[in-house]
Amino acid sequence: MGVIKKKTITKGTEGGLKYICDVCAVDITATVGTPHRVLPLTPSSPTSAIPRLSNDITPASQPRVSGVVDCTAAADISSQVRIQCAEKDLCPDYDLCVPCFGQGASSKTHVPAQHRYHVIEQHSIPVYDGDWGADEELLLLEGAETYGLGSWADIADHIGGFRSKDEARDHYIDIYVNSRNFPLPARADPRDMSLLDEIPREDFQARKKRRIEERKQAAKDAPPAPPKQKPTASVPACHEVQGYMPGRLEFETEFNNEAEEAVQHMQFEPGDGINPRTGELEPEMELKMAVMDIYNSKLTARAMRKRAIFEHKLLEYRKNAGLDKRRTKEERDLMQKVKPFAKITNHDDWSAFAQGLVDEHYQRMAISQLQEWRAKGIRDLRTGSEYEKEKANRLARPAAVGVFDRLPGSRPPKPAPPMEIPPNMAALTAPELPSDMTTKQKPESARKAEERRAKDQALVNGNGNANKDKDKDVKREERVPYSPASVQGVAPLKLGPDTADLQLLPKEERELCSVLRMTPKAYIACKDGIFKEAVKNGGFMKRKTVKELCKIDPMKASRLYEFMVRSGWIQKA
């Protein structure tokens, strides 16, 4: 291919090279140049040395127009012939138009009386291919030598004539690489004139001119090309993942980043490490081989991790983060648990496996919900849907108002957030699904379940005041008496009429004292201490605090705490 070099020749708007006269700056581009024999210049008659293009063409005696040569045949030969100085060392790439050469004009270091010259004609005729002329063939080879094979865009611009890089590449491969006479073209024989006889010069040039005009018009009518964007540099700051270099497909800090430090100073010489006497490896060489095995295992682990990153598209951070936000908490936890399996499966198999686990999770939730409905006497999906709505509304309502809520500084607790039903599970329990359990009339068990739900909606506080329902109607219901459960291993205390301070307690508190084996006086003292502490905390109290205040057995303190919570005197903290 030769040494890659650059030529100082101006590129034209249509691509290709433009040759400019070094004296009058006239465009004297000849599509291709084929040097004739080198001729010396005679100062007495400079134009006499120009080879005649035909027997009828002679230099005109009339004044010449700059850039155009008139002759008896009225032919413009300035676009077919240019004069090039043959002294490459003194005048590199020095060109003259025919009029300037005929007048003996010169510039720079060119001396017309002493320098030899080439007469370069245009040879736009087919030689190897019916669509490519000899001028384009030479420019193709010259561009390959100048810019190097593979730089097809620069080569096509060097050829000109609106040739594209794909045309230049395909033509070079078809004519020169895939030739049966490789490395020469198939029609490399100088005596082979079959293609020229088939396509005359005039027809070939007319077709070439028509092709150039059509492509020029298509280029004018084409929409403007989008502005070129600055290419992404291979630096960590040019990617959404910190530390990743996209141009090199590497990370700034790789896995086992210090693995190369163990082998960076290791050297292996030919024949080194083998004992010439025994022919076995020396201990030092065995140690080096062991270190190399460890290094290769680290490289393998690094390659496996990078393969998993590329395979599962983990570099698309924004896209993966958006998908993760649309998942529920259960789905995110489940995906986090199955991530280790991504190292041994491809992306499609892992996605199908993870989605299957998610579907199984929602099916289990739906089964659990259906079992809850059946336990509550619900036998159709539509009633179950209504039950879930009422359950969510009940959880969203504020808690019952206690006796200490009227005190200064007390604040009601925040309402519980509505229960979120996953869409996948809701689809499995939708009322629209066919079910053989659905009946036209509600069974007796369903009516009883509705009655129980109506009773549960009325939350009663310690003073016997009921909360307002959805219709703003105030209803009063009797408070359900609370019977404390007996403490295991503790026999109830018998309280007689003569027990001190017994008359100060109602029936329920008497039963509590009997179960806890506490005297009424001790119970009243504990109750007083609990109320004072509850006032400080806005009516909220922990089970542990009751135990510490009363200094009694944990089981007894738990029963006392439950009794006061159910009575509405304190609230769970």
Side-chain angles (χ1 to χ4, degrees):
M1 184 173 62
V3 180
I4 297 178
K5 54 186 178 179
K6 296 290 183 179
K7 290 190 175 182
T8 57
I9 301 176
T10 307
K11 291 186 178 181
T13 56
E14 300 178 7
L17 298 178
K18 294 294 183 181
Y19 293 92
I20 307 299
C21 178
D22 288 290
V23 176
C24 62
V26 174
D27 185 1
I28 54 173
T29 303
T31 308
V32 70
T34 56
H36 289 251
R37 65 184 183 278
V38 179
L39 302 177
L41 178 64
T42 58
S44 60
S45 179
T47 56
S48 61
I50 302 178
R52 298 183 182 275
L53 302 179
S54 64
N55 296 331
D56 297 333
I57 298 178
T58 58
S61 58
Q62 298 180 358
R64 299 182 180 89
V65 180
S66 177
V68 179
V69 176
D70 297 328
C71 60
T72 55
D76 180 8
I77 63 174
S78 63
S79 61
Q80 299 179 5
V81 177
R82 62 185 173 89
I83 312 301
Q84 187 179 69
C85 182
E87 306 295 338
K88 297 295 183 180
D89 297 337
L90 299 176
C91 303
D93 296 327
Y94 190 88
D95 300 295
L96 289 173
C97 62
V98 174
C100 291
F101 176 76
Q103 297 173 2
S106 63
S107 63
K108 301 180 182 178
T109 59
H110 181 65
V111 182
Q114 300 178 3
H115 291 184
R116 298 177 300 169
Y117 61 91
H118 294 301
V119 178
I120 301 177
E121 296 185 33
Q122 177 185 4
H123 286 288
S124 184
I125 56 175
V127 288
Y128 301 143
D129 186 89
D131 195 38
W132 283 67
D135 50 358
E136 295 176 308
E137 298 286 356
L138 288 176
L139 284 175
L140 173 65
L141 300 178
E142 185 185 31
E145 180 184 4
T146 303
Y147 304 105
L149 284 177
S151 302
W152 299 112
D154 294 333
I155 294 174
D157 191 69
H158 183 85
I159 297 171
F162 288 96
R163 290 290 186 185
S164 64
K165 61 179 183 179
D166 296 333
E167 286 182 298
R169 182 190 64 244
D170 296 341
H171 179 76
Y172 183 86
I173 293 176
D174 294 340
I175 299 300
Y176 296 95
V177 178
N178 298 332
S179 172
R180 62 177 180 270
N181 297 333
F182 180 82
L184 297 177
R187 293 185 171 134
D189 189 355
R191 295 169 294 182
D192 187 0
M193 305 296 291
S194 59
L195 195 59
L196 184 59
D197 297 338
E198 181 181 350
I199 305 175
R201 177 195 295 265
E202 293 76 9
D203 295 345
F204 179 81
Q205 292 183 353
R207 282 171 22 184
K208 179 180 178 181
K209 182 178 180 180
R210 184 167 56 252
R211 172 176 56 82
I212 293 176
E213 293 296 334
E214 290 176 355
R215 296 191 179 183
K216 183 186 297 185
Q217 186 63 31
K220 291 181 180 180
D221 300 339
K228 294 184 179 180
Q229 298 181 355
K230 184 179 180 181
T232 303
S234 183
V235 294
C238 291
H239 198 269
E240 55 186 286
V241 176
Q242 184 72 20
Y244 177 64
M245 296 176 283
R248 301 173 59 181
L249 300 180
E250 295 179 356
F251 294 89
E252 188 176 13
T253 303
E254 295 281 357
F255 177 74
N256 283 333
N257 200 44
E258 299 81 12
E260 286 76 10
E261 294 181 358
V263 297
Q264 60 181 349
H265 299 300
M266 193 177 296
Q267 296 181 357
F268 292 89
E269 299 294 338
D272 188 16
I274 300 178
N275 193 329
R277 297 178 182 179
T278 61
E280 298 179 355
L281 285 178
E282 296 180 353
E284 182 181 358
M285 181 57 66
E286 292 181 356
L287 179 60
K288 288 184 178 180
M289 298 304 296
V291 173
M292 290 301 300
D293 291 340
I294 297 174
Y295 174 65
N296 289 332
S297 64
K298 292 182 178 180
L299 292 184
T300 302
R302 181 186 298 175
M304 291 179 60
R305 281 162 173 78
K306 291 177 69 174
R307 182 192 65 81
I309 291 174
F310 296 143
E311 171 69 25
H312 295 279
K313 303 176 182 178
L314 300 181
L315 294 175
E316 300 176 0
Y317 176 76
R318 293 189 180 90
K319 180 180 178 181
N320 295 333
L323 294 175
D324 193 60
K325 287 181 179 179
R326 289 193 289 270
R327 297 190 180 102
T328 61
K329 183 179 181 301
E330 293 79 6
E331 291 180 356
R332 289 195 293 268
D333 295 341
L334 194 58
M335 289 291 182
Q336 193 69 23
K337 293 179 180 179
V338 300
K339 277 184 179 180
F341 296 99
K343 295 191 294 186
I344 58 176
T345 57
N346 57 37
H347 183 65
D348 296 336
D349 293 345
W350 182 84
S351 300
F353 173 65
Q355 187 61 37
L357 293 179
V358 171
D359 295 341
E360 179 188 3
H361 172 71
Y362 285 127
Q363 288 175 2
R364 290 180 180 274
M365 292 181 62
I367 292 173
S368 177
Q369 188 182 60
L370 293 175
Q371 290 175 347
E372 179 187 359
W373 292 355
R374 173 167 292 186
K376 294 183 178 298
I378 300 174
R379 291 294 182 268
D380 60 273
L381 296 176
R382 190 171 300 279
T383 306
S385 177
E386 295 176 358
Y387 166 76
E388 292 297 332
K389 293 179 181 179
E390 294 176 0
K391 182 179 178 181
N393 294 334
R394 185 167 61 251
L395 293 176
R397 292 174 185 172
V401 179
V403 293
F404 297 105
D405 290 340
R406 301 183 183 90
L407 298 176
S410 62
R411 296 180 181 178
K414 295 182 179 180
M419 185 178 63
E420 179 183 0
I421 300 178
N424 297 21
M425 189 188 74
L428 299 174
T429 57
E432 290 78 10
L433 291 178
S435 175
D436 54 356
M437 296 186 299
T438 306
T439 56
K440 295 183 179 179
Q441 297 181 355
K442 293 183 179 181
E444 185 68 22
S445 58
R447 289 196 297 270
K448 292 182 179 180
E450 292 181 358
E451 293 177 0
R452 287 197 298 270
R453 289 198 301 273
K455 291 182 179 180
D456 293 341
Q457 290 179 1
L459 301 178
V460 183
N461 58 12
N463 294 331
N465 296 327
N467 294 328
K468 295 181 179 180
D469 59 0
K470 293 182 293 185
D471 299 331
K472 307 297 182 179
D473 296 334
V474 180
K475 299 180 181 179
R476 306 184 64 86
E477 293 185 4
E478 295 183 359
R479 182 166 54 88
V480 179
Y482 174 71
S483 299
S486 60
V487 180
Q488 185 177 3
V490 178
L493 177 65
K494 294 182 179 180
L495 301 175
D498 55 346
T499 305
D501 300 330
L502 182 64
Q503 71 279 3
L504 301 178
L505 302 179
K507 181 180 179 181
E508 295 177 359
E509 296 184 57
R510 294 178 183 179
E511 294 179 0
L512 178 64
C513 291
S514 176
V515 170
L516 302 181
R517 292 189 65 85
M518 295 179 63
T519 61
K521 188 174 183 179
Y523 170 74
I524 293 174
C526 293
K527 182 178 179 181
D528 182 66
I530 292 174
F531 282 1
K532 288 180 180 179
E533 187 67 22
V535 170
K536 296 179 182 179
N537 299 325
F540 295 93
M541 179 85 55
K542 291 184 179 180
R543 193 184 304 266
K544 181 179 178 181
T545 307
V546 174
K547 174 187 173 183
E548 294 175 352
L549 289 174
C550 300
K551 298 180 181 180
I552 58 177
D553 184 74
M555 294 297 296
K556 295 181 179 181
S558 178
R559 296 291 188 276
L560 180 60
Y561 178 78
E562 292 176 359
F563 176 80
M564 293 193 173
V565 170
R566 291 293 300 268
S567 299
W569 296 338
I570 61 175
Q571 296 185 16
K572 293 182 179 181

